[in-house]
Amino acid sequence: MPAHNHHDAPEHSSTQPPSGDDPTGQPSATQPVPAGYQKVETRDGVKIVRDAPVSFVRRELAMSANRQRLWQDHTGTTILPVSRLFGQTSVAPQSQLNITETWGHDAPLIIDIGVGHGESTFAGATAHPDKNFLAVEVYRPGLAKLLDRVDSENVTNIRMVEANAPEVLDHMVPEHAAAEVWVFFSDPWPKTRYHKRRLIQPKFLDRVARVLQIGGLIRLATDWSHYAMQMRDTLDAHPAFKNLHPSRLAGKTSPLTLARLHGTDDGTPLSEAEALDAIGGWAPRFETRPVTSFEAKAQRAGRYIFDLTYQRTD
């Protein structure tokens, strides 16, 4: 697996190429391929691989003995059981959740994708104890750190799943079950040749649209202006979503204008005319999203933070 190539903090979710780089099994000739996978020919024969970017870069899973015990104690309850398919982070089609049974009551569901150490999940869940929260992450030590806080402070409305987010959306979350989906600081893959690995792509938004209720929200944040622009363009082009803050911060006050003027992404400042963002559409900072150590570091480095909020329309 490739190393994280933008930030070393585990707050980022990341993506892998949808190719033979991530083989997940050797199928028989007649074996059906589930949604989210495809068969490819390799030198070693036919393999099943994921057909789209995944939500992570797999990292070292070492944990302290105390957190290992905590993980074991909560597996099957706070840590949701998952039927696997072809890999350790895969999700089998029979894994659909019963929301009411899983949380013990019926309440709005918030899905936080790529939670890292879980700061945004924890802040949201403690601010809104009347809502159900699902933290999606493959970095087990990060989930274990969140679990430690959940256990020590007796927070009862968080559940966690160690799995690839697109497959969670495909197979675990029922259609129209979620009130909101959060994707904060997913890996920007800044080099042009790696843009295909970014999580926010049309296929991923199709998955989000499937699980969101009509009127439900997707909230995003990034500190990378090129990725922010791609997020905005991709969401604007998707028929299922509308920007809740159209034209907001367009012009000279746009963080995109400022990032271009200062060359924060590539070290190449643009002229005022070239830098101007005439579209805007940037959301106010989401009230429960905490400033993590990663975000504080980005701000100290002079980077701009971009928030976007879109609503599921039909």
Side-chain angles (χ1 to χ4, degrees):
M1 291 294 191
H4 199 295
N5 72 342
H6 176 51
H7 298 289
D8 57 4
E11 283 88 340
H12 276 273
S13 56
S14 312
T15 55
Q16 289 280 97
S19 69
D21 291 359
D22 185 26
T24 52
Q26 288 185 304
S28 67
T30 58
Q31 181 178 356
V33 180
Y37 290 82
Q38 61 179 323
K39 291 182 180 180
V40 297
E41 295 283 349
T42 74
R43 288 175 296 181
D44 300 319
V46 176
K47 291 187 180 292
I48 292 180
V49 301
R50 292 178 169 109
D51 70 356
V54 298
S55 61
F56 62 91
V57 167
R58 190 71 166 170
R59 287 185 290 272
E60 174 59 48
L61 301 182
M63 297 190 297
S64 69
N66 285 339
R67 286 188 176 168
Q68 287 176 359
R69 285 193 294 270
L70 190 65
W71 186 273
Q72 292 169 357
D73 290 345
H74 286 268
T75 294
T77 53
T78 306
I79 306 297
L80 298 181
V82 183
S83 297
R84 303 299 183 183
L85 199 60
F86 300 107
Q88 291 180 325
T89 60
S90 65
V91 180
Q94 64 267 28
S95 300
Q96 187 169 105
L97 292 174
N98 181 307
I99 303 299
T100 303
E101 289 182 2
T102 299
W103 276 267
H105 63 275
D106 189 18
L109 175 64
I110 313 297
I111 304 172
D112 195 357
I113 290 175
V115 303
H117 289 159
E119 294 98 327
S120 60
T121 310
F122 191 84
T126 52
H128 298 285
D130 57 328
K131 296 180 180 179
N132 297 330
F133 285 77
L134 178 60
V136 182
E137 178 60 73
V138 299
Y139 181 60
R140 185 179 295 184
L143 284 180
K145 184 173 183 179
L146 172 60
L147 179 61
D148 202 342
R149 295 185 72 188
V150 166
D151 181 67
S152 64
E153 300 191 34
N154 194 31
V155 177
T156 61
N157 59 334
I158 294 177
R159 302 291 181 271
M160 308 174 200
V161 59
E162 182 189 18
N164 177 34
E167 292 170 79
V168 171
L169 298 182
D170 278 343
H171 303 312
M172 293 193 76
V173 183
E175 185 176 11
H176 297 164
E180 297 188 15
V181 173
W182 300 350
V183 186
F184 299 144
F185 299 99
S186 61
D187 198 306
W189 292 101
K191 294 182 179 179
T192 301
R193 67 179 179 273
Y194 294 143
H195 285 183
K196 64 184 179 181
R197 303 184 184 186
R198 290 173 170 174
L199 185 61
I200 305 303
Q201 307 277 0
K203 278 189 177 182
F204 179 74
L205 294 181
D206 290 343
R207 292 176 161 105
V208 173
R210 188 191 76 82
V211 303
L212 273 179
Q213 303 164 357
I214 304 303
L217 304 179
I218 178 171
R219 301 184 187 274
L220 306 102
T222 184
D223 65 319
W224 196 262
S225 66
H226 291 175
Y227 192 19
M229 186 170 59
Q230 180 195 315
M231 287 177 173
R232 185 184 65 183
D233 291 347
T234 305
L235 277 153
D236 283 347
H238 199 288
F241 295 99
K242 71 173 182 180
N243 193 329
L244 284 189
H245 303 279
S247 303
R248 184 176 180 274
L249 297 181
K252 293 182 179 181
T253 59
S254 167
L256 182 56
T257 300
L258 297 172
R260 288 168 170 172
L261 279 172
H262 294 99
T264 56
D265 281 3
D266 52 20
T268 306
L270 299 180
S271 68
E272 189 171 322
E274 293 173 311
L276 191 68
D277 169 26
I279 298 173
W282 310 110
R285 183 189 183 89
F286 181 42
E287 59 182 5
T288 69
R289 182 169 69 77
V291 178
T292 63
S293 58
F294 157 72
E295 184 179 345
K297 181 179 177 181
Q299 290 175 328
R300 287 195 300 270
R303 305 192 66 80
Y304 296 89
I305 307 302
F306 300 82
D307 284 86
L308 289 164
T309 304
Y310 282 73
Q311 186 173 52
R312 173 80 159 87
T313 55
D314 56 24

